[in-house]
Amino acid sequence: MKFLIVFTAIVAVALAASADEKSASVVKFENDHKGVDGYNIAYETSNGIAAAEQALLKTFGDDAAAIVVKGNYKYTGADGVVYSVNYVADENGFQPEAAHLPRA
């Protein structure tokens, strides 16, 4: 569900982009839903936007479990630079890593 929200946001940004960006099309889309055990999803557009995400069920003892998400996305900014972000979302929160992001 969270990925659907992120995907919708990326599509909204793409629709608000320049005329060249508006003509972009999806060139790759993969979706493997594993029920409560997780999922794998990936897509790529003709204008260079790409994302991939994997979610797995992680157990924390006998009575606690959560979905752990690992993924990445990339896009070309208005400055012509390709930005890539890798991330993990787990019991420690959302943890992005990228060359253009500040480090703690």
Side-chain angles (χ1 to χ4, degrees):
M1 183 58 139
K2 291 179 186 178
F3 181 78
L4 180 59
I5 293 168
V6 172
F7 184 71
T8 303
I10 291 172
V11 171
V13 169
L15 292 176
S18 68
D20 292 338
E21 296 294 312
K22 288 183 180 183
S23 64
S25 60
V26 175
V27 295
K28 173 185 166 187
F29 181 78
E30 298 173 3
N31 184 9
D32 180 21
H33 193 281
K34 301 173 186 174
V36 296
D37 291 328
Y39 60 85
N40 292 309
I41 191 163
Y43 67 87
E44 187 175 333
T45 62
S46 60
N47 62 348
I49 296 172
E53 187 171 278
Q54 176 185 40
L56 300 170
L57 183 64
K58 181 177 179 181
T59 57
F60 305 94
D62 294 335
D63 60 347
I67 294 284
V68 174
V69 178
K70 295 180 182 182
N72 59 71
Y73 60 90
K74 72 173 185 135
Y75 63 95
T76 303
D79 56 2
V81 175
V82 176
Y83 293 95
S84 295
V85 178
N86 294 313
Y87 60 88
V88 174
D90 60 11
E91 68 274 11
N92 298 313
F94 181 71
Q95 305 153 58
E97 291 183 2
H100 65 281
L101 295 177
R103 296 186 185 254

